[in-house]
Amino acid sequence: MTSSSSITIYRQDYTVPPFLVDHIDLTFDLGPSVTQVKATTRLRHNPESESHDIVLYGEALELVKIVMNGKTLAKSDYATDNGELRIANVPDDVTLVVDTLIHPDQNTSLMGLYLSNGNFFTQCEAEGFRKITWYPDRPDVMATYTVTIRADKEKYPVLLSNGNLVETGDLPNNRHYAVWDDPFRKPSYLFALVAGNLVCREETFKLADGRDVLLQVWVEKNNLDKTAHAMESLKHSIRWDESRFGLELDLDRFMIVAVSDFNMGAMENKGLNIFNTRYILANPRVATDTDYANIESVVGHEYFHNWTGDRVTCRDWFQLSLKEGLTVFRDQEFSADLTGSDSGRAVKRIEDVRTLRQLQFPEDAGPMAHPVRPDAYQEINNFYTVTVYEKGAEVVRMYQTLFGRDGFRKGMDLYFSRHDGNAVTCNDFLAAMADANGRDLSQFERWYSQAGTPRVRLESHYDEKERTLTVSLSQFCPPTPGQTEKQPFLIPFAIGLLDSKGNDMPLRLKGGKDSGTSCILELSDASQTFTFVDVAEKPVISALRNFSAPVILEYEQSDDELLHLLSHDSDHFNRWEAGQRLAARRLVSLTKAVQDGQPLTLDTAFADAFRTVLSDTSLDAALRELALTLPSEMMVAERLDEIDPHAIHQARQFMRRTLAEKLEKEWRDAWDRNRTEGTYRPVPSDAGKRALKNLALSYLLALDNPVYCQMAIEQYNRADNMTDRLAALTSLVHSGCMNRHPEAKALLDDFYREFENEALVIDKWFSLQATSPHAGIETITTLMEHPAFTLKNPNRARSLIFGFCHNNMAQFHAADGSGYEFWSKNLIELDRINPQVAARLARCMDQWKRYIPSLRKPAEQALRHVSEQPLSRDTREIIEKTLSA
């Protein structure tokens, strides 16, 4: 798939569709090499459009014939150009019958209808439906669907589509059929079809209104024993949406299907969610605590789309965050609520903010920076980004911060009452929130239209005589591509004050009422001043509590103040944040010392602070693990004007080794005290203990002591769950013990032999080697030649190539440029197979202009080499923007 030129599509050019679709009948005669598709579509003229042309979209289709209102059209009756088929000057009411042939076994893009392990699957978001039939494939064209599927009964005993099953039967020649009817109007991107040799776990589930519905999780037979957690997660999702938002399942059944070849994590097709197997399959032998948590979150996310994405969808793809940002927020709240504790909610919040800072903040500062609601795109697949999803979720969260849970629920209720069954915009959601809460949110709209991460500077002054604290806030958003000047945002800024003993102080703003011990300051101008009165002593400020807005806080606090917050802040997020700021401050200094050839040292006060947190058993184990995990190399890079990956890596390794030495006894105690007894349970309390224990193990292995190497080997051999086994193996590989201890080296082969038939575990096997700081190009190249490796499977490509290029800074940025050559070679090859996955690999070079000069030149050479190749639209857009930024 190549494109010699790119067409930019602009949000401002949106026009309504000239024709709307009332209903479509789809008939599939399935065959691996040739599948016949017959689409009978009832269209009517849109009174809001002056055009009487029907516009259909198609890609990689073999058109057999088109019949309009009973007349077969000649080629002269329509025009095709660049994936568009236009029939001019048609009557107001049209029945269009389109017969096409498609070739699933040749479809390596995994968009449209394709094969995976001999079974048929579809992926239609964003524009995959046009690979199935000619159709007005745009999200604002919504219709009801009836789908008939015909196939070989022995090869494909299971035939699934959206909605409710209304008819099944046998056909001649050992074939059979199924008819599915979806009574809810939906855009074509939500269409789904699955056919194959699958089995399911199913349960009848009673909804809050008393209705019984059928829940099914479909997988290949050998994976049925790994579906219990997904089913429980689905039931939890249904119950949570009923209680939190009053939203019920609207179909008679809800189906989930797992497939190993899938570009995304999962897809919310109405009533028939299709999932990447990594977000469905779990049992203690093959899945880690993180896998269990991710499955619960993603199952929730796709189920919640039933309302925020399916029942109400986006008018055009520029509004993608309308459904994705909102639904990410909902799945975050779901996971947080299910922890059942304040500390559990804090752990979830910290994890979400870490993702935002590590992935989205760099995107905001790079060549692909774009608003939550983009203004233009060349390839829509490139805008399924952390900005649209995670920053979009933060924008939604700010509504709840401003209005509280009750106010947010009122806004959601109004949104559904106004727009159920329609395709709408981000501004429609904003209007519902504003109207439900009696608030003018016109300024808040800038969060959708302006790109970049705002920076908020805080300055304070305490007047001992007047007992007042003056807090001055100012905001600035750096220029981004296409946006040089920014207007002030409306920023909800949560703040609290701690006294000298670490207690929360009561808050009262001048001229205002008491605000408890935490309040929201609304920063709406370029700079504003707020005065707190009756402040009994000079406080330590706890700023931006719970990360109340997606901004970068610029506030100089001393080590003593940060240590005070780390020890006492009642806001768990800010306790963690204080530790991160202390660590990052030292990592930046250490990085500069490496570059200047200076000796590396780590102060005792910092190590003592770590010791205090590690030994504080009153703190939840999961919180301690997060607080004791150093900022990643990528997050350190974001604090530097010029990125020197090797200096950053050396600085971080020095800090880890020094903390291991100074706290050796405490790490050993943590490993001993946090072992979980009895049957494995993927619950937050046990998962937190395992996380802290395994973090302690990784620190101990930094000491190059054969005793701890043996301890990790014993943990591996005795582990009754994948979390502990994989953590031990990863620590052995990443510490270098594999190169020094024969028994340790044998474990890699042992792990492969035991799990060679478990694809998701073999992904982990590739990934842990790809991300090892000891794994150079030779290691990765050798792994690519392994019989289990293939570029055609996205999970496998991500585990090895992405793992190396995205998550192994020291080795990927090799001084000789070999990492960049490896990237360019595999990017070009992957682009020929699967452009969507290739475009994501291209993103690891976003920051190349910030590299030190010795790396900048080979990086540019690799980028220019790629740009000279025939590329897909997906990848070319990324490469061109990266080079021209």
Side-chain angles (χ1 to χ4, degrees), residues 55-317:
V55 181
L56 310 177
Y57 302 97
E59 185 178 337
L61 300 174
E62 202 176 313
L63 179 60
V64 178
K65 67 177 178 179
I66 304 177
V67 178
M68 186 173 74
N69 290 345
K71 176 189 174 183
T72 300
L73 300 185
K75 289 186 178 181
S76 58
D77 293 326
Y78 57 86
T80 57
D81 181 51
N82 198 29
E84 184 177 292
L85 189 155
R86 183 178 295 267
I87 310 172
N89 299 318
V90 302
D92 286 348
D93 295 295
V94 173
T95 298
L96 204 64
V97 181
V98 181
D99 287 336
T100 56
L101 301 179
I102 55 178
H103 308 282
D105 61 353
Q106 298 176 23
N107 185 3
T108 63
S109 71
L110 310 185
M111 294 292 290
L113 181 69
Y114 65 93
L115 290 174
S116 174
N117 201 21
N119 299 317
F120 288 93
F121 298 91
T122 58
Q123 171 57 32
C124 293
E125 189 178 358
E127 296 176 339
F129 192 77
R130 60 190 63 187
K131 287 192 169 188
I132 293 173
T133 187
W134 289 96
Y135 187 78
D137 180 22
R138 44 187 289 174
D140 55 353
V141 175
M142 304 174 70
T144 55
Y145 281 64
T146 300
V147 179
T148 301
I149 309 169
R150 301 170 183 153
D152 184 287
K153 187 173 183 178
E154 184 176 344
K155 293 180 180 177
Y156 314 107
V158 175
L159 307 175
L160 308 176
S161 192
N162 312 81
N164 298 312
L165 180 63
V166 295
E167 186 180 346
T168 61
D170 291 330
L171 296 168
N173 301 317
N174 198 35
R175 292 172 66 80
H176 69 142
Y177 73 93
V179 180
W180 293 83
D181 179 72
D182 188 352
F184 294 96
R185 295 170 64 241
K186 66 173 181 283
S188 53
Y189 83 84
L190 290 172
F191 168 77
L193 178 152
V194 173
N197 192 1
L198 305 171
V199 296
C200 78
R201 178 184 296 271
E202 65 178 22
E203 292 189 26
T204 300
F205 187 74
K206 189 175 291 294
L207 302 179
D209 66 0
R211 287 191 301 121
D212 287 331
V213 294
L214 181 64
L215 307 181
Q216 295 177 319
V217 180
W218 292 91
V219 295
E220 294 179 3
K221 186 176 181 180
N222 61 307
N223 289 323
L224 188 61
D225 65 324
K226 308 180 188 77
T227 56
H229 181 65
M231 177 64 81
E232 289 304 304
S233 298
L234 177 58
K235 293 190 291 186
H236 291 160
S237 304
I238 295 171
R239 281 285 178 256
W240 183 85
D241 220 14
E242 288 175 334
S243 62
R244 180 77 182 264
F245 290 106
L247 302 173
E248 289 195 338
L249 178 58
D250 48 10
L251 291 166
D252 297 335
R253 69 170 70 198
F254 193 91
M255 298 171 286
I256 287 173
V257 181
V259 55
S260 59
D261 295 293
F262 204 65
N263 288 340
M264 302 181 181
M267 179 60 210
E268 71 267 20
N269 316 296
K270 181 69 178 180
L272 179 57
N273 289 181
I274 299 180
F275 276 69
N276 189 316
T277 48
R278 67 182 298 193
Y279 294 114
I280 289 297
L281 306 181
N283 63 28
R285 179 174 175 268
V286 302
T288 65
D289 291 329
T290 299
D291 293 328
Y292 274 93
N294 287 341
I295 289 167
E296 185 173 74
S297 174
V298 177
V299 167
H301 180 97
E302 303 308 330
Y303 175 76
F304 302 144
H305 264 312
N306 188 57
W307 282 89
T308 50
D310 295 3
R311 289 285 288 259
V312 184
T313 194
C314 48
R315 184 195 71 178
D316 54 72
W317 292 120

Side-chain angles (χ1 to χ4, degrees), residues 709-727:
C709 188
Q710 187 61 41
M711 191 166 77
I713 292 170
E714 291 175 5
Q715 175 173 310
Y716 174 92
N717 288 326
R718 295 175 180 175
D720 66 348
N721 63 84
M722 179 54 68
T723 302
D724 284 342
R725 176 172 281 185
L726 185 67

Side-chain angles (χ1 to χ4, degrees), residues 746-774:
L747 294 185
L748 260 178
D749 293 335
D750 172 81
F751 189 87
Y752 181 83
R753 283 193 301 271
E754 180 166 351
F755 296 104
E756 62 181 322
N757 294 319
E758 299 287 353
L760 295 177
V761 181
I762 298 305
D763 288 339
K764 301 179 196 299
W765 184 79
F766 279 110
S767 180
L768 73 89
Q769 294 177 81
T771 55
S772 169
H774 305 280

Side-chain angles (χ1 to χ4, degrees), residues 491-653:
I491 299 174
F493 192 95
I495 193 169
L497 306 177
L498 273 64
D499 65 20
S500 57
K501 295 181 180 179
N503 299 312
D504 278 317
M505 303 174 71
L507 304 179
R508 185 155 69 89
L509 281 167
K510 186 176 182 179
K513 298 179 180 179
D514 292 345
S515 302
T517 57
S518 189
C519 73
I520 305 295
L521 306 177
E522 293 191 16
L523 175 61
S524 56
D525 296 331
S527 60
Q528 285 173 250
T529 298
F530 304 87
T531 301
F532 292 96
V533 299
D534 299 330
V535 182
E537 61 175 283
K538 184 178 181 179
V540 175
I541 297 176
S542 174
L544 201 66
R545 282 187 154 181
N546 204 41
F547 200 67
S548 57
V551 302
I552 294 173
L553 176 63
E554 296 180 348
Y555 177 36
E556 289 300 321
Q557 287 180 292
S558 68
D559 279 5
D560 286 344
E561 289 176 308
L562 292 174
L563 288 167
H564 192 69
L565 293 169
L566 178 61
S567 300
H568 302 294
D569 203 333
S570 63
D571 184 87
H572 289 306
F573 178 88
N574 269 9
R575 287 190 75 171
W576 170 80
E577 176 77 335
Q580 293 292 291
R581 290 175 66 188
L582 285 164
R585 183 176 291 176
R586 284 155 176 79
L587 284 168
V588 168
S589 296
L590 286 167
T591 299
K592 293 177 179 177
V594 171
Q595 292 174 311
D596 295 339
Q598 300 296 318
L600 305 185
T601 60
L602 187 66
D603 57 290
T604 301
F606 179 74
D608 287 344
F610 252 56
R611 179 180 288 105
T612 299
V613 173
L614 182 54
S615 304
D616 186 356
T617 55
S618 67
L619 270 180
D620 185 90
L623 278 172
R624 282 187 283 160
E625 188 270 338
L626 288 169
L628 297 166
T629 299
L630 298 178
S632 69
E633 292 176 12
M634 179 67 75
M635 293 181 75
V636 177
E638 283 305 299
R639 293 174 174 264
L640 300 169
D641 294 330
E642 195 170 70
I643 300 173
D644 184 341
H646 306 99
I648 294 170
H649 177 71
Q650 189 173 335
R652 192 173 185 274
Q653 290 295 92

Side-chain angles (χ1 to χ4, degrees), residues 309-371:
D310 295 3
R311 289 285 288 259
V312 184
T313 194
C314 48
R315 184 195 71 178
D316 54 72
W317 292 120
F318 298 102
Q319 319 295 330
L320 182 59
S321 196
L322 173 79
K323 71 183 186 74
E324 294 300 348
L326 175 56
T327 306
V328 169
F329 167 76
R330 276 159 44 77
D331 81 54
Q332 290 174 350
E333 286 291 280
F334 164 67
S335 297
D337 283 349
L338 259 60
T339 65
S341 68
D342 289 342
S343 61
R345 287 191 64 86
V347 167
K348 175 60 178 166
R349 185 68 182 132
I350 291 167
E351 291 170 347
D352 294 336
V353 174
R354 280 203 311 189
T355 298
L356 186 80
R357 285 176 171 168
Q358 183 154 325
L359 300 177
Q360 197 280 320
F361 280 16
E363 184 167 271
D364 258 351
M368 283 293 291
H370 58 277

